[in-house]
Structures are given as C-alpha cells and as structure tokens.
Amino acid sequence: MPFSRVPSLRPPGRRLVRSGTVLAATALLAVGAAGQSWASTPTLRWTTGSPAPVSTLQLPMSVDSAPDAAGMYFAYYTTLESGTRPYAGFQPEPVDANGHHALQAVFSSFNADATTTDTHCTYGADGGAGVSCAVRFAYTPGTMYSLVLKRASVSGDTQLMSGDVVATATGAPVAHIGTFGLPSASGRFKSADQGFIEPYLTAGCGQRVTVTYGKPVGTEAGTDHVGSLPTVADPASGSCLSTTSQTTGQGQQVTVAGNAVAADR
C-alpha cells in the first residue's frame, strides 16, 4: 500500500504552511503535510539538449546518503507545450517494514482539468485542484534511479501522462508512480526546465543529504537527446538550506546541509 506525503510542489518564493489529508481507495495521500517551505530554496536547472519538445523525459538521481526520515524533497519542474507544469521528484523516507532504506517518488499536476483512475493517485495538490501520485520503494544508497515521465498516449481530448521509476543503469522497472489525464492540447515536455530542493517538513532543516544528479534524457520519435549535468544554486537569502557541489564520475554530486537555527529566524 503506497503511503504518500507530498509537499507543496509550488515554485519557491513565498512562505507556505500546509496541512490536511485526503483518503484514497488504496493510498493515503497527505496533500500538504504539516510543515513549512521557506521564502527561498536551492534551485535546479536542467536540460535534455533537445532542439524541440519531447514525449518522454528520464531524470536520473542517486541518493548517496540521507537520514532514514522524511523532510527533504528533490523536485523537478516539467513544463508542457501549453504551459501547464507537472512536477516530479524524490523524497527520502523512514525505513520500510523490512528495514530497507526507502524513497518516495512523486508525480503531480496542479491542472484543474487533470483526471485519474490510478490507485497511486488522488485528486488534489497542495490543497488545491489537480492530481497527486506517489509511491514508496526500497533503494540502495549510491544507486542511480530515473524518473521516467511520458506523454504516453493521446485519445480524443485527453492525453495520458505516466510516471515510473527505473534503474538508470539497466532500465529495469522499479516502481510505478501513477498516471493522470490532461487535455490533449497540453502537448509534450519542453526540453529544459528548473527544479528545487525543499525542506517540506521542519525536520528537513536539521538534515544533511547528499545526492547525485545524472544527465537528463529526452526522447522523441525514437531519438534520445542527452543533456548536460544539472546545476544547483543557493538562494540569496531566506532558506534554512545550503549546498555544495562537485562533478564526479557518476554526475553532479550535491550535498544539502540544513540549518535549523536559520529556520527559526
């Protein structure tokens, strides 16, 4: 049974307070868990290098070290041709029932016209309109996993958006995040966008997490376009997080250090 705790997913830049839960048939989705997002957060820039929009995105990341606790969200914005913006990302979580390290993968839309029948998804996003999908899976620290986001099909006025997790090295399926429908005019994914690192729970401001971003891949008409390594920049002010970054053989390694004292200022 996937249990989902989904943070704001809104662009950083204003203080948010979240609360409330929505009960789905087989998933409990907390659309806005208790916690706060600070005025600014570290921001991410990524590109597939494609000269045109793509139907599939692969966004790779490894969590190299993290506490077995909730609180930090590593998010990617994705913008479709119409301008609507599905979001996706990874969140470290407490260990699972078998004592394994756990990650939660998220795929959500704030589009009021979004629809779903997927049991991993529920209506609502940060207390507003949309659809939020999530799943937890056991992971191995230092192993690269990719979010695979697709404009999977178009039928009449609706296009189906799917989100999955695969092992980056082999492409082997790891977990299904969820599917939702959007108006078919929403179109494909733009080839470059941004993202953020958010302490969506107060506890995130006391954590230290190291992740490695791999090169995004965009696929259209059977052709893969491989981008450059993402970059991460700290906010000018207002965040309880700071980052350091280095390029390794696996990708762009970023260490996020929380500062609980700064969060109380």
Side-chain angles (χ1 to χ4, degrees):
M1 176 184 296
F3 175 87
S4 308
R5 183 186 293 107
V6 178
S8 150
L9 298 182
R10 294 200 185 277
R14 62 188 183 89
R15 190 178 181 89
L16 299 173
V17 179
R18 299 179 287 281
S19 63
T21 58
V22 176
L23 183 62
T26 61
L28 183 64
L29 183 60
V31 183
Q36 297 173 328
S37 172
W38 282 265
S40 299
T41 62
T43 55
L44 170 74
R45 290 187 179 275
W46 61 268
T47 181
T48 65
S50 171
V54 296
S55 294
T56 301
L57 287 175
Q58 297 179 58
L59 303 170
M61 179 189 293
S62 69
V63 175
D64 303 328
S65 64
D68 292 314
M72 201 83 78
Y73 181 37
F74 297 85
Y76 295 88
Y77 298 137
T78 69
T79 302
L80 303 185
E81 291 175 278
S82 69
T84 192
R85 305 184 82 186
Y87 302 154
F90 291 117
Q91 304 164 13
E93 290 286 332
V95 295
D96 65 17
N98 297 313
H100 299 141
H101 300 293
L103 283 180
Q104 179 162 263
V106 177
F107 187 36
S108 297
S109 172
F110 281 93
N111 192 316
D113 294 321
T115 60
T116 189
T117 58
D118 195 312
T119 57
H120 286 217
C121 307
T122 156
Y123 283 96
D126 194 28
V131 167
S132 297
C133 309
V135 67
R136 288 184 185 178
F137 63 96
Y139 79 98
T140 301
T143 296
M144 192 77 75
Y145 300 92
S146 290
L147 296 161
V148 179
L149 312 179
K150 293 183 179 181
R151 188 192 194 214
S153 63
V154 181
S155 178
D157 294 332
T158 301
Q159 65 182 48
L160 184 67
M161 309 299 297
S162 68
D164 295 277
V165 180
V166 305
T168 305
T170 64
V174 174
H176 172 63
I177 308 171
T179 57
F180 52 84
L182 290 175
S184 57
S186 300
R188 299 165 297 169
F189 298 98
K190 292 188 177 181
S191 61
D193 218 308
Q194 301 181 59
F196 60 92
I197 302 170
E198 180 188 37
Y200 69 94
L201 297 176
T202 304
C205 280
Q207 296 178 4
R208 181 184 178 91
V209 181
T210 298
V211 304
T212 299
Y213 292 93
K215 294 180 179 180
V217 179
T219 303
E220 182 61 29
T223 300
D224 291 339
H225 302 271
V226 181
S228 54
L229 292 174
T231 60
V232 174
D234 281 331
S237 63
S239 177
C240 68
L241 303 181
S242 60
T243 62
T244 57
S245 182
Q246 63 176 340
T247 302
T248 70
Q250 192 175 25
Q252 194 66 25
Q253 187 178 74
V254 177
T255 296
V256 185
N259 183 344
V261 174
D264 293 331
R265 291 175 182 169

